[in-house]
Amino acid sequence: MLNWLAIWGVTQAAGLIFKPILEDLAKDAAKDWAKDLLKGIPGNILEKLKKEDIEIAAGKALKEFLQLVQEDLKGGELSDDEIKKYTQPIKQFLKVQEVKEILGNAFKDNHPAIDTNRLQEIWDTINVSNPLPDDFNWKRVAKKYLQKVKEIIQGIPELRVIHDSQNLDKIKDILEGNAQKITTFDLVKYQEGIRECYGNLKLDSLDTSGYAYNELKLWQIFTPQNVRETHQVLPQVHELPKEHLRRLRESEQVEAVELEELERHKRFYFEQPIRSVLDVVNKKQDYKYLVILGDPGSGKSTLLQFLALNWAESPLDNVISLPIPLLIELRTYMRRREDKECNNFLEFFHQCSGAIHHLNQLEVDKQLKAGNALVMFDGLDEVFDPGKREDVITDIHRFTNDYPDVQVIVTSRIIGYKPQRLLNAEFRHFILQDLDSEQIQDFIYRWHELTFSDAVDKVRKRERLQRGIAASKSIAELAGNPLLLTMMAILNRNQELPRDRAELYNQASRVLLHQWDVERVLIEDKRLDPKTIDYKDKQAMLRQVAYLMQTGEKGLAGNLINENDLVKVLTDYLKTIVRELANHFKDDPDTKSILKKLATQDDHWFMRDVAVEALAWNFKDDPDTQTFLKERATQDEHEDMQGAAVWAISQELQR
């Protein structure tokens, strides 16, 4: 039997206070803890290693990590006895799967990094009664740990050989100019790609009788939104549909104390100053990391496209001195990653089919290290699977660690967004505001200047639209949404504006559905074997609840869970099931009817918008879908659902 402690260097490490932790692991050497730690190693490398090699590397890495933690604690002038009290908390800490994965990231051959903020967050969560000293520094430990792991890799022949062969393959690709993997860094062509992809308003699928609106340039019509900073994104404040909150108030299902607390947070939020989103973005020194939140149709994606276009429209001699915009649509990125086209953001630009224009990743790396880029991640909410969304957040956080001088913007819908991890990564959060009256009037003026040639008709139609908005309070409220304001402008060309919301949604859906292209081929989702997915596993839901309870402030002792947290966990899980059902059982004849049922039943109100979204995305080529969505947009008794249906239609027409 191998003497694991000797092999790991534990017996030679005099004074290692945390030795009992490694002694316990040595007894469990037959288990998979070592493989869990080395998950950061690419699969094609890991499968070539012997089990003993994995356990040697993992054990040595943990020994170095524990040694470094001990040294940092001792540097804070703690006695050996005081340090020894951390043995059990650290042992529990190392049992957390995510901790093992974070430490295992040091073995990655491409940008190894340690998410120190997440380590701190996990420690604080599971060790409330054993806080680390104020002068304990996770970043200092992580920096030394990364260096130690490099030495471990070089010291294990089997691991070093495989890593070296990987690097030699990469060098060979570069030297030989592999046409499939190595591309140029042509900024002129990149500008052209941005203009082609984002330059025109995507209205070619609409009923735009009387004018070719798809010829409108986005940068000519874009109206910069205003934003308010939010210091605490509360689900209770921002997520609950307005109509449902009103019904709860009327039915007295919400405690007066809870409502008072919600109102307090809302008052604090509305006390924050309103500023132009462009002013915020342009102050990189003050707002380096941003999350832009907004409702459907509020202009999140359009904002990022405008920022990219602003660069693309600049003369080349100016472009060289401006930050290069790198816009990543996260839903596309995740699909390409699942299809094994790329492993990270740089590879996405380098070789993926979803990139606007391929850019050599070595050159991109140079620009990023120099801080000469504006990196934008669009649609975090469109990564539907919660686990994959967490992976993306980890990737974004790691990206900011690798390239600390780069400005980064992330967009997401408010509903379903969990802010804590990006807050920990020093991202500041802003919420897009509805367009104000001055912005609405500015949009209306420019729209008619660009889309009418007859001077008399231009003025007449412009004034009619202004009167139509002013005549109805409900229509005026909807005009603050850029998507719906655009729909109003299109409708106004040939008719008077409706006076109420329901009829406006009816007319907007008619415009959106007029040229629904049933011949358009959808990009196929990657199909998974239905046998590998057990949708009847009710225990999975309970595991979600148990995880939340056991990683809460009271640890395992916290055998109570807040009602709101319980509802949140269960509804998030159920929403995921709805999306997975639609994605993986699209061909099942019952799937569409299940989604329709979920989209119409009031007792499933928290999943109705997800069901509508799933129908629009997965059954767009079904003739019945447009009819159903139009019914939801025009006949649903809840305004939130009417708006969700209109938004779902508009998004799918632009894909």
Side-chain angles (χ1 to χ4, degrees), residues 249 252-263:
R249 283 196 182 102
E252 299 181 351
Q253 292 182 44
V254 178
E255 296 289 338
V257 176
E258 293 181 30
L259 288 177
E260 185 177 326
E261 183 70 6
L262 293 183
E263 291 302 325

Side-chain angles (χ1 to χ4, degrees), residues 33-226:
W33 66 268
K35 201 166 185 177
D36 287 341
L37 186 70
L38 266 65
K39 278 187 176 179
I41 296 179
N44 61 331
I45 295 179
L46 194 61
E47 65 187 13
K48 295 178 183 178
L49 291 175
K50 297 178 181 177
K51 187 172 183 295
E52 290 79 7
D53 297 329
I54 293 172
E55 290 166 351
I56 290 171
K60 286 188 173 184
L62 274 183
K63 175 256 178 183
E64 294 297 343
F65 174 75
L66 292 172
Q67 186 85 51
L68 292 169
V69 170
Q70 178 178 317
E71 288 173 5
D72 211 272
L73 289 170
K74 189 165 282 190
E77 299 183 350
L78 292 182
S79 67
D80 286 357
D81 287 339
E82 289 173 319
I83 294 174
K84 193 177 293 184
K85 292 177 181 177
Y86 285 99
T87 301
Q88 191 60 28
I90 291 176
K91 186 177 179 181
Q92 293 300 119
F93 180 69
L94 291 174
K95 287 183 178 179
V96 177
Q97 182 65 30
E98 189 176 356
V99 171
K100 288 184 278 189
E101 292 175 0
I102 291 172
L103 295 179
N105 285 335
F107 286 89
K108 286 189 173 181
D109 64 337
N110 185 20
H111 298 301
I114 302 298
D115 189 342
T116 55
N117 286 333
R118 185 60 182 149
L119 288 177
Q120 176 72 59
E121 183 182 330
I122 295 171
W123 180 277
D124 292 342
T125 300
I126 67 174
N127 288 303
V128 176
S129 59
N130 294 286
L132 291 165
D134 291 339
D135 55 357
F136 184 86
N137 192 315
W138 280 110
K139 289 185 179 180
R140 185 165 54 223
V141 171
K143 184 177 180 180
K144 294 178 181 178
Y145 173 71
L146 286 170
Q147 184 57 43
K148 291 292 183 182
V149 170
K150 283 184 181 179
E151 295 171 7
I152 291 170
I153 291 171
Q154 290 302 311
I156 299 176
E158 292 80 5
L159 194 56
R160 183 181 67 246
V161 167
I162 296 174
H163 264 269
D164 288 347
S165 66
Q166 286 265 312
N167 291 332
L168 285 172
D169 287 342
K170 291 178 182 177
I171 293 170
K172 182 180 177 183
D173 282 339
I174 294 170
L175 293 176
E176 294 180 356
N178 188 317
Q180 289 185 326
K181 294 184 179 179
I182 305 302
T183 56
T184 60
F185 193 73
D186 190 330
L187 292 183
V188 173
K189 289 190 179 298
Y190 185 47
Q191 283 184 306
E192 291 175 1
I194 290 174
R195 287 195 293 266
E196 288 174 6
C197 188
Y198 301 128
N200 293 350
L201 290 185
K202 296 177 181 178
L203 302 176
D204 50 316
S205 296
L206 308 187
D207 176 10
T208 55
S209 305
Y211 188 81
Y213 291 112
N214 55 302
E215 295 178 5
L216 277 173
K217 301 298 181 185
L218 184 146
W219 61 271
Q220 293 178 316
I221 202 70
F222 175 72
T223 300
Q225 307 98 316
N226 290 327

Side-chain angles (χ1 to χ4, degrees), residues 12-43:
Q12 301 94 317
L16 180 59
I17 296 173
F18 299 132
K19 182 179 177 180
I21 297 174
L22 293 165
E23 289 174 340
D24 287 343
L25 288 178
K27 297 173 186 175
D28 294 335
K31 296 183 180 179
D32 287 335
W33 66 268
K35 201 166 185 177
D36 287 341
L37 186 70
L38 266 65
K39 278 187 176 179
I41 296 179

